[in-house]
Amino acid sequence: MSDEPGLAEGYEISTDPNRVDVDRVHRWLATDAYWAIDRPREKQERAMGGSLNFGVYHTISGEQVAYARVVTDEATFAWLCDVYVDRSVRGKGMGTALVAAVREYLQPLGLRRILLATHDAHGVYEKLGFKALDKPEQWMALGLE
């Protein structure tokens, strides 16, 4: 998946789960992501194990600079979550390029819907075609924590 459109030169996107820097992703999410603060490492590893994992990596050093995961049945539905861009590369379009790559990866599956939740990045996702639910009153959630 390297050479993604809109991705800064010197970076590539990969879905290879063996490339994910699990320590770094857990640290990012558990200490700096409002939706995952204090998430235990074991829980993060289980979440990653049941998901498609996307990473943005520096092409020379191999350092991971962004992450996203997708929970999907690969037939009808997907949930995009845990999208995180390292503070050192924010503002360079990494998040937009990463989410665009996720969208392109999922497109051939013929999914009916890709959902996500965000408090503060609506503009990023809207640029890529996401929009608020047409009928939010039809959706429900069961919070177990």
Side-chain angles (χ1 to χ4, degrees), residues 97-144:
L98 177 57
V99 174
V102 169
R103 183 189 62 195
E104 297 307 311
Y105 182 95
L106 296 174
Q107 189 171 14
L109 299 178
L111 304 175
R112 180 172 182 186
R113 179 172 290 117
I114 301 170
L115 290 179
L116 63 87
T118 184
H119 287 297
D120 57 358
H122 293 83
V124 171
Y125 297 107
E126 286 170 348
K127 288 190 289 189
L128 296 164
F130 286 87
K131 61 182 182 170
L133 294 172
D134 289 333
K135 298 179 182 178
E137 68 278 3
Q138 292 182 354
W139 292 84
M140 299 179 74
L142 176 63
L144 299 177

Side-chain angles (χ1 to χ4, degrees), residues 22-101:
V22 178
D23 289 332
R24 177 174 287 205
V25 170
H26 176 254
R27 184 176 63 252
W28 283 337
L29 297 177
T31 65
D32 195 40
Y34 65 82
W35 65 89
I37 295 294
D38 295 328
R39 182 182 289 166
R41 167 74 183 250
E42 181 272 331
K43 186 174 271 196
Q44 183 62 42
E45 287 181 12
R46 279 190 305 149
M48 294 168 89
S51 302
L52 294 172
N53 297 277
F54 293 77
V56 178
Y57 304 90
H58 190 271
T59 53
I60 305 232
S61 70
E63 178 185 19
Q64 186 169 358
V65 298
Y67 175 77
R69 70 183 180 90
V70 175
V71 181
T72 182
D73 62 9
E74 298 188 356
T76 63
F77 174 84
W79 175 42
L80 172 60
C81 53
D82 287 347
V83 178
Y84 188 90
V85 176
D86 188 83
R87 290 182 178 274
S88 68
V89 295
R90 288 187 186 168
K92 297 181 179 181
M94 298 287 183
T96 300
L98 177 57
V99 174

